[in-house]
């Protein structure tokens, strides 16, 4: 059994010191890893149903990564077989004019999970201290204040009963190159290829620095960040499935008792 907590950002993290291809102390390769994850995903399926049935808890999962980092892959693999009715995905793209006319959390708050729901943020409000910072879209003083604003926003959500887990899918620059090249070489993957990704790749170091600040300033006990080594897709999925199952297990969910006495019910 793996310990998902070892990937949690509890003290200062330096991304250069986290090996994106690492597999921690997992004894076994891809085959064992995939098998272990499939088992966890089965449990996730049952736990999600329990979460929905009990209707008391909300789970928010934030996914952030460099381009090709694997956000889509995580959603596909880790949630494979989980009932889509209880899981929502909210993708945050470049803001619309209407969104830009408001504060940056305006589009985020309506997408947070309701009771019984799991919501996955595919990108999130963290873009407002990442891409916005790297491209100087607002003055420095403004994005700097957002760290504490985001912390307070998340703390409010947690105090009101939401559980928050945040995952940074950590890939290496070489791995990104290989994944971009693979998309370029395969016409059926061209729809995923964007020339804009190459421009962002040029700013790799700026993004790493921005991510490091995010991790160090916004990982708290109530809304922790996990740095997930993600060059190996199977290990990435295994870590995330492990943390999700550990978290849901800890909620101690129970099926609700029925409001009616069903003991004497006869179906004719
Ligand atoms: P895919 O895997 O499909 O490429 P993606 O999440 O990269 O998924 P894209 O449509 O390619 O989706 O990219 C979304 C873009 O929107 C990203 O470049 C991201 O940085 C940008 N974006 C998201 N939020 C903001 C924001 N608040 N301000 C400016 N840009 C943003
Ligand atoms: Mg993209």
């Amino acid at each position: 059994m793996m310990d998902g907590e070892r990937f949690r950002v509890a003290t200062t993290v330096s991304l250069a010191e986290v090996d994106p291809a690492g597999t921690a102390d997992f004894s076994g390769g891809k085959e064992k890893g995939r098998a272990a994850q499939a088992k966890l995903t089965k449990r996730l399926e049952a736990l999600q149903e329990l979460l929905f049935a009990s209707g008391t808890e909300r789970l928010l999962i934030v996914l952030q990564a460099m381009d090709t980092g694997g956000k889509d892959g995580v959603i596909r693999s880790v949630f494979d077989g989980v009932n889509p009715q209880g899981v929502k995905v909210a993708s945050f793209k470049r803001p619309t004019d209407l969104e830009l006319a408001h504060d940056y959390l305006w589009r985020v708050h309506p997408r947070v999970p309701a009771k019984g729901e799991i919501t996955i943020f595919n990108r999130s409000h963290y873009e407002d201290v990442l891409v916005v910072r790297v491209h100087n879209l607002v003055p420095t003083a403004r994005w700097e204040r957002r760290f504490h604003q985001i912390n307070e926003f998340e703390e409010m959500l947690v105090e009101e009963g939401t559980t928050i887990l945040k995952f940074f899918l950590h890939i290496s620059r070489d791995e990104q190159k290989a994944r971009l090249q693979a998309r370029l070489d395969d016409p059926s993957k061209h729809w995923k290829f964007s020339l804009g990704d190459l421009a962002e790749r040029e700013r790799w170091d700026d993004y790493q620095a921005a991510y490091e600040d995010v991790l160090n300033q916004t990982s708290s006990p109530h809304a922790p960040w996990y740095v997930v080594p993600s060059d190996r897709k199977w290990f990435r999925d295994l870590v995330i499935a492990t943390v999700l199952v550990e978290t849901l297990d800890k909620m101690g969910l129970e099926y609700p008792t029925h409001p009616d006495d069903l003991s004497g019910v006869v179906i004719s």
Side-chain angles (χ1 to χ4, degrees):
M1 211 35 225
M2 249 210 340
D3 174 21
E5 288 309 295
R6 69 179 299 147
F7 303 101
R8 186 162 61 86
V9 178
T11 52
T12 309
V13 69
S14 157
L15 283 178
E17 284 164 28
V18 183
D19 179 7
T23 56
D25 56 1
F26 184 72
S27 56
K30 179 174 175 176
E31 212 170 306
K32 273 195 176 169
R34 278 289 178 211
Q37 182 240 310
K39 271 193 198 157
L40 288 164
T41 290
K42 272 274 160 219
R43 285 183 60 200
L44 188 61
E45 196 182 326
L47 285 162
Q48 182 276 324
E49 190 186 270
L50 189 52
L51 183 90
F52 186 78
S54 56
T56 53
E57 303 285 329
R58 318 169 174 99
L59 178 60
L60 173 60
I61 298 163
V62 173
L63 298 180
Q64 285 286 159
M66 297 294 288
D67 290 307
T68 77
K71 294 178 278 99
D72 293 329
V74 167
I75 296 169
R76 217 177 321 113
S77 310
V78 176
F79 290 88
D80 183 28
V82 179
N83 186 349
Q85 292 208 85
V87 181
K88 290 187 175 161
V89 179
S91 294
F92 295 95
K93 307 278 187 187
R94 206 172 304 263
T96 62
D97 288 344
L98 180 66
E99 287 168 348
L100 281 174
H102 293 80
D103 68 87
Y104 67 100
L105 291 175
W106 180 79
R107 66 171 180 165
V108 175
H109 203 171
R111 313 294 295 274
V112 302
K115 285 181 177 173
E117 282 180 357
I118 297 176
T119 297
I120 305 165
F121 277 7
N122 183 349
R123 299 190 189 269
S124 64
H125 43 296
Y126 284 99
E127 292 294 327
D128 293 282
V129 284
L130 289 162
V131 63
V132 164
R133 167 181 178 175
V134 169
H135 287 274
N136 298 309
L137 300 182
V138 304
T140 303
R142 207 159 133 206
W143 61 254
E144 275 180 347
R145 288 194 295 265
R146 292 180 175 176
F147 290 120
H148 99 85
Q149 293 163 357
I150 288 172
N151 283 335
E152 306 247 308
F153 171 64
E154 292 180 356
E155 195 174 337
M156 181 278 290
L157 293 176
V158 172
E159 285 176 355
E160 291 288 321
T162 301
T163 299
I164 303 180
L165 297 171
K166 303 179 289 195
F167 298 100
F168 171 58
L169 313 181
H170 183 40
I171 58 166
S172 64
R173 197 158 187 266
D174 286 347
E175 179 65 19
Q176 188 192 54
K177 184 177 185 186
R179 291 183 187 182
L180 287 170
Q181 189 65 51
R183 288 180 183 181
L184 202 53
D185 293 345
D186 180 353
S188 77
K189 295 277 160 63
H190 282 181
W191 63 276
K192 279 197 189 186
F193 189 86
S194 147
L195 288 172
D197 290 356
L198 302 185
E200 295 313 293
R201 178 172 164 76
E202 294 301 309
R203 300 170 188 257
W204 183 272
D205 292 341
D206 293 344
Y207 272 107
Q208 296 295 300
Y211 266 111
E212 220 164 75
D213 280 351
V214 161
L215 297 167
N216 289 321
Q217 301 215 36
T218 64
S219 190
S220 54
H222 61 267
W225 274 105
Y226 293 79
V227 176
V228 184
S230 297
D231 275 7
R232 296 174 209 262
K233 295 173 182 171
W234 63 268
F235 189 70
R236 170 199 77 197
D237 294 343
L238 177 60
V239 169
I240 294 178
T242 301
V243 173
L244 292 182
V245 168
E246 277 173 0
T247 301
L248 286 160
D249 266 342
K250 263 192 255 158
M251 286 181 184
L253 298 165
E254 282 179 26
Y255 283 104
T257 47
H258 203 279
D260 302 315
D261 179 10
L262 301 181
S263 58
V265 175
V266 178
I267 300 169
S268 59

